[in-house]
């Protein structure tokens, strides 16, 4: 009898404890404690917005900036350089004297010849030095005409089909960090070098303020394709499973407005550039999508948005 009474008292205590737990839970989630429905898990995610804007495909190359047109100055006769009239960086007009060459030999005196500039332009190289002996094949000076600059690039054979005259180019230099200079393809070689399997391409360079100089090293993006008003998202948001490519869009939970859920969206991807993917179908601009934490999600999963990250730039 004593044992029975002990068991009965213990049961009453346990039941009382369970009721208190239910009451405490009901205070936290009113109306939820007595339903018998198991709470759905909630996943922490980061989100961003799909953006309508521009995307462009490009080929990245590098090369040296050179004078667009340059001509060497030669002497009409072999001899000793008697005088140099110009210096590197100096502007000369066509016909201006560049250097005096004395063709005299021991026992023979000849008239000193004057080598003149064949074109108007800037002296960019001056190999002639007073006292040195030269032949007619040795240049005295190199003159770049017109001030135009260009970049000579060598395009790999697999990209040749994408090359065309007047394709726009974006040019950056370590000498001018943060600035982007514009240019375009002005010349394409008709042949491919058999040894390197590359094709030479020349790019004209716009030079506002004369900031660029011949000899500088430049990084060039040849823009091979540019699309306007497309939908784009971070490529990290895309999931590839079982032959499908999809993202999770965030929606309000119709069963409980306190929560957000995700909806699976099958997408039609376009070009992928620098971690940015063009979306040709499946999303519209300004839809909120999960970009971090999506690997554990399923259709209808509840999510808690920890951070809304800045969307991609429009350009």
């Amino acid at each position: 009898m004593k044992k029975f009474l002990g068991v009965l008292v213990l049961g009453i205590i346990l039941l009382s404890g369970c009721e208190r737990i239910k009451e405490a839970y009901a205070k936290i989630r009113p109306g939820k404690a007595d339903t018998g429905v198991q709470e759905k898990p909630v996943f922490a995610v980061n989100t961003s917005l799909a953006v309508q804007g521009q995307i462009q495909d490009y080929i990245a190359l590098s090369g040296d900036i050179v004078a667009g047109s340059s001509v060497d100055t030669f002497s009409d006769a072999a001899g000793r350089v008697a005088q140099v009239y110009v210096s590197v960086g100096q502007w000369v007009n066509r016909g201006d004297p560049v250097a005096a060459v004395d063709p005299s030999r021991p026992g023979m005196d000849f008239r000193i010849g004057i080598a003149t500039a064949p074109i108007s332009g800037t002296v960019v190289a001056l190999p002639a030095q007073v006292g040195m002996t030269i032949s007619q094949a040795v240049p005295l000076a190199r003159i770049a005409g017109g001030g135009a600059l260009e970049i000579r690039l060598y395009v790999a054979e697999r990209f040749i089909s994408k090359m065309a005259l007047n394709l726009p180019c974006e040019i950056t230099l370590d000498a001018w960090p943060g600035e982007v200079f514009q240019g375009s393809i002005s010349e394409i070689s008709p042949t491919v070098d058999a040894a390197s399997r590359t094709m030479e391409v020349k790019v004209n360079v716009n030079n506002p303020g004369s900031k660029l100089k011949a000899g500088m090293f430049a990084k060039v993006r040849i823009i091979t394709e540019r699309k306007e008003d497309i939908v784009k998202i971070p490529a990290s948001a895309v999931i590839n499973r079982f032959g499908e490519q999809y993202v999770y869009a965030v929606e309000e939970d119709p069963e409980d407005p306190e929560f957000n859920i995700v909806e699976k969206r099958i997408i039609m991807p376009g070009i992928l550039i620098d971690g940015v993917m063009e979306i040709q179908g499946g999303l519209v601009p300004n839809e909120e999508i999960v970009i971090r934490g999506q690997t554990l999600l399923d259709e209808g999963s509840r999510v808690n948005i920890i951070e809304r990250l800045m969307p991609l730039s429009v350009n």
Side-chain angles (χ1 to χ4, degrees), residues 65 151 168-184 203-213 216 218-221:
I65 298 177
I151 305 173
C169 301
E170 296 178 349
I171 300 150
T172 56
L173 301 93
D174 292 339
W176 297 100
E179 292 197 47
V180 179
F181 299 86
Q182 303 300 318
S184 61
V203 173
N204 280 339
V205 183
N206 298 333
N207 189 16
S210 300
K211 293 181 177 180
L212 307 183
K213 310 293 182 185
M216 285 182 169
K219 299 174 184 177
V220 183
R221 287 186 175 187

Side-chain angles (χ1 to χ4, degrees), residues 19 33 39 87 90 93 101 105 176 201 227 229 233 302 312:
E19 288 300 322
E39 288 293 311
S87 58
Q90 179 180 336
N93 293 313
V101 178
R105 298 288 186 273
W176 297 100
V201 170
K227 294 184 177 182
D229 297 327
I233 63 172
R302 284 181 173 175
L312 299 170

Side-chain angles (χ1 to χ4, degrees), residues 18-255:
C18 291
E19 288 300 322
R20 289 178 182 175
I21 293 173
K22 288 182 179 180
E23 288 174 5
Y25 186 71
K27 290 179 181 179
I28 299 172
R29 298 284 293 162
K32 302 289 184 178
D34 297 327
T35 60
V37 178
Q38 186 176 2
E39 288 293 311
K40 295 181 181 179
V42 180
F43 298 91
V45 297
N46 290 349
T47 65
S48 188
L49 298 179
V51 173
Q52 185 173 21
Q54 178 192 97
I55 193 170
Q56 55 188 25
D57 196 2
Y58 65 88
I59 297 172
L61 300 169
S62 59
D64 294 323
I65 298 177
V66 297
S69 60
S70 60
V71 178
D72 288 335
T73 302
F74 297 92
S75 171
D76 291 332
R80 182 180 60 84
V81 177
Q83 188 172 352
V84 177
Y85 300 108
V86 297
S87 58
V88 174
Q90 179 180 336
W91 175 268
V92 294
N93 293 313
R94 185 173 184 270
D96 285 350
V98 172
V101 178
D102 184 2
S104 300
R105 298 288 186 273
M108 296 182 293
D109 292 329
F110 295 98
R111 175 187 247 176
I112 291 177
I114 303 297
T116 60
I119 62 171
S120 297
T122 303
V123 179
V124 295
L126 192 63
Q129 301 293 325
V130 174
M132 69 182 295
T133 301
I134 62 163
S135 68
Q136 293 96 324
V138 176
L140 296 167
R142 177 167 295 170
I143 301 172
L149 298 176
E150 66 182 23
I151 305 173
R152 293 178 185 173
L153 305 173
Y154 297 90
V155 179
E157 189 174 10
R158 66 181 182 276
F159 297 128
I160 288 176
S161 62
K162 296 184 177 183
M163 293 297 101
L165 290 175
N166 300 318
L167 280 180
C169 301
E170 296 178 349
I171 300 150
T172 56
L173 301 93
D174 292 339
W176 297 100
E179 292 197 47
V180 179
F181 299 86
Q182 303 300 318
S184 61
I185 292 181
S186 60
E187 185 178 320
I188 299 175
S189 173
T191 61
V192 175
D193 183 77
S196 63
R197 296 297 177 188
T198 59
M199 180 178 70
E200 185 180 35
V201 170
K202 293 182 181 179
V203 173
N204 280 339
V205 183
N206 298 333
N207 189 16
S210 300
K211 293 181 177 180
L212 307 183
K213 310 293 182 185
M216 285 182 169
F217 179 77
K219 299 174 184 177
V220 183
R221 287 186 175 187
I222 300 176
I223 310 302
T224 57
E225 184 178 8
R226 179 176 284 160
K227 294 184 177 182
E228 305 287 345
D229 297 327
I230 55 92
V231 178
K232 58 183 180 179
I233 63 172
S236 59
V238 180
I239 299 174
N240 293 275
R241 286 180 187 163
F242 310 113
E244 291 182 334
Q245 289 185 287
Y246 57 91
V247 298
Y248 284 114
V250 178
E251 304 285 350
E252 185 179 282
D253 189 345
E255 297 179 2

